[in-house]
Amino acid sequence: MKILIDNINMEPGCEDASLELRAAKNYKSNLKLYKILRKSIDARKKGRVIIKYRAVFMADDKDVHRLIKAGCTIYHEPEMLTLEKGVDPGSVLIVGSGPAGLFAALRLMERGIRATILERGKCVAERHQDVALLKKEGLLNTESNVVFGEGGAGTYSDGKLTTRINKGGIEWLFEKLVEYGAPDTILFDAKPHIGTDILSSVVVNIRKELTSFGTVFHFEEKVVDIVSRDEKAIAVRTASGKEIAADHIIVACGNSARDLFESFDKQGVCLEKKGFAVGVRIEHPAEFINKAQHGVQRAKLPAADYLLTYTNKVTRRGTYSFCMCPGGEVVNSSSEQGMLCVNGMSYSKRDLPFSNSAIVVAVRPEDVMSGALGGISFQRDMEKKAFDAGGGKFFSPAMSALTFCTGKSKSMERVSYVTGFREADFSSILPAFVSEELKLSLTSFDRTIKGFVSEGVIIGVETRTSSPVRVVRGDDFQSISLKRLYPAGEGSGYAGGIVSSAVDGLRIADHISGV
């Protein structure tokens, strides 16, 4: 019989396979590991970090009663999701091949529906070349970069799969990711991640599967306009002059597609401002963070992360760490000439010498100028100042966190941002309220992680945490201005990461297919 055992504690360095021996010893029973449900690191006591497991074991029937008395429970397999074919909704066009777009297409495929995907950027292999050119020579391709191209902005990230949403579809999503090449550890890790290197191949595998089914991809096909009639979206117009008709249009363009949102605004598509966050990346030696978080046992543990938050009691404004990348690097995430912003990414092994995280301040709708696109103007102003402060060629401004917070001079040796950096004063780059909140929050974080300020370097700016604009939609997922136009994912203002974006895409696919 299958028995669920919670809170099995293991020492760092033990393999998952030894879990069976520990459980059998703890419960004095012949137990065979069936599957791991959850694995997390408990580092609250730095001198005794433990790995906590929740797992299912096969137990002899004669031991079940005793095991239940000891606190174990009988495990019942979750019901398998049965996908119905759904109805034929007519033609479906998807704008963008990020998580929302790809998983909408994958879900439609499982419903027996072929879609057409338009992607303004390039396929992964060609995109890698353009990103490498930006890193080495500071030459930006505005249509093929860290934010535009196959897989969307998520392709160049840590491949983090943590989410705060609690909606149906997450289990299906994770199983699909594993099916297409992600490690099966994401099914039980408390903080699952894939890594940019593996995620790139996962994205390609999904595309190959979709293509074999009949889904059509068009790369380097930038959508510039929506064609409408009788308050219904009937086609898209592309930069190459094509007009492509469809019965349903899913817009999953990502939050950097500012030109498309500007086009929507001119067309009268209902948009609204929404809150977002901006700030900087802070980088430390990975060994410093590992020691601070995992103590003497750090060599037996994966690269450490952290989650830090601060709320100003006077302004009630929040500042927090975001998209923490252990053993990673800071990368350029610009999409417009003369403007600079950064992001963080890690590979699957998370073994590079630096760890970084965004430290961002909440920006409220009322903080930015009037109009639905006020947040975009706010972001651009910061990015322009950052580009100028870096001196051109997409060199990033950088500054010792100690100098930023206290004014005490401290030199910087090197950072992971390989394009190049130039020392600059972030107080003249950031809006005044952002600068002040960052100084307060960093000082607070230094009390939690000693040396966080003195050992840190800030690189910036970070402006693309989430979309500052929302394409307003109704309960039927359609724009309230144009029927059959489905705003989806992070760019349209309905998600905040790979998982929530993908789930939003599959929910729209289910609605379109009538399931």
Side-chain angles (χ1 to χ4, degrees), residues 93 95 226-227 233-236 246-251 484-487:
L93 188 65
V95 181
I226 303 293
V227 181
I234 61 170
V236 300
D247 295 307
H248 304 274
I249 301 171
I250 300 175
V251 177
R484 299 193 175 184
L485 180 71
Y486 298 82

Side-chain angles (χ1 to χ4, degrees), residues 239-459:
S240 63
K242 296 177 183 176
E243 192 169 295
I244 304 172
D247 295 307
H248 304 274
I249 301 171
I250 300 175
V251 177
C253 57
N255 71 40
S256 294
R258 294 165 169 172
D259 45 10
L260 189 55
F261 298 133
E262 289 167 341
S263 175
F264 283 177
D265 192 44
K266 291 176 182 176
Q267 280 186 269
V269 176
C270 187
L271 308 175
E272 65 182 10
K273 291 188 291 187
K274 61 176 284 292
F276 57 108
V278 299
V280 295
R281 280 267 151 188
I282 189 165
E283 183 168 81
H284 300 86
E287 175 63 11
F288 168 77
I289 297 297
N290 294 342
K291 183 177 181 180
Q293 296 297 85
H294 290 162
V296 296
Q297 294 169 297
R298 60 190 179 278
K300 300 178 181 179
L301 292 164
D305 64 3
Y306 55 78
L307 176 62
L308 300 168
T309 62
Y310 170 79
T311 300
N312 187 324
K313 293 181 179 180
V314 177
T315 64
R316 308 306 303 168
R317 195 183 297 274
T319 303
Y320 54 93
S321 61
F322 173 80
C323 185
M324 200 274 160
C325 296
E329 62 180 297
V330 178
V331 296
N332 185 299
S333 58
S334 305
S335 58
E336 296 175 290
Q337 298 293 354
M339 299 183 195
L340 180 141
C341 57
V342 300
N343 195 7
M345 60 170 268
S346 297
Y347 297 103
S348 55
K349 291 184 179 180
R350 289 177 161 178
D351 58 356
L352 297 182
F354 293 99
S355 293
N356 70 80
S357 175
I359 305 295
V360 291
V361 178
V363 179
R364 302 161 182 156
E366 59 268 26
D367 292 325
V368 304
M369 66 177 62
S370 61
L373 304 182
I376 292 177
S377 298
F378 183 91
Q379 291 173 323
R380 279 175 167 158
D381 182 65
M382 289 178 61
E383 292 171 15
K384 176 67 167 58
K385 290 178 179 177
F387 181 85
D388 291 343
K393 288 194 175 181
F394 292 97
F395 276 41
S396 176
M399 185 182 195
S400 160
L402 181 68
T403 304
F404 176 67
C405 290
T406 68
K408 296 179 181 178
S409 178
K410 182 179 180 180
S411 61
M412 299 180 300
E413 294 182 3
R414 69 186 185 99
V415 297
S416 67
Y417 185 87
V418 298
T419 307
F421 71 93
R422 179 178 177 181
E423 291 196 44
D425 182 4
F426 276 84
S427 297
S428 62
I429 299 171
L430 302 168
F433 78 89
V434 173
S435 180
E436 290 306 310
E437 296 288 355
L438 281 175
K439 290 175 182 178
L440 291 171
S441 64
L442 289 170
T443 302
S444 173
F445 299 159
D446 193 71
R447 291 192 286 269
T448 302
I449 299 178
K450 303 298 182 184
F452 193 79
V453 169
S454 59
E455 296 296 323
V457 172
I458 57 175
I459 305 167

Side-chain angles (χ1 to χ4, degrees), residues 76 138 141 149 157 195 375 383 506:
H76 299 284
N141 182 331
S157 69
E383 292 171 15
L506 70 86

Side-chain angles (χ1 to χ4, degrees), residues 83-102:
L83 289 178
E84 303 174 25
K85 284 297 182 184
V87 299
D88 182 2
S91 56
V92 180
L93 188 65
I94 299 173
V95 181
S97 67
L102 276 183

Side-chain angles (χ1 to χ4, degrees), residues 143-184:
E143 302 301 334
S144 178
N145 44 59
V146 166
V147 294
F148 293 143
E150 185 175 16
T155 301
Y156 291 92
S157 69
D158 193 53
K160 295 177 190 65
L161 302 178
T162 50
T163 182
R164 296 175 184 170
I165 67 168
N166 184 23
K167 296 178 180 177
I170 293 179
E171 186 175 351
W172 174 88
L173 168 63
F174 277 49
E175 288 174 351
K176 287 298 168 188
L177 287 167
V178 172
E179 180 181 338
Y180 293 110
D184 60 6

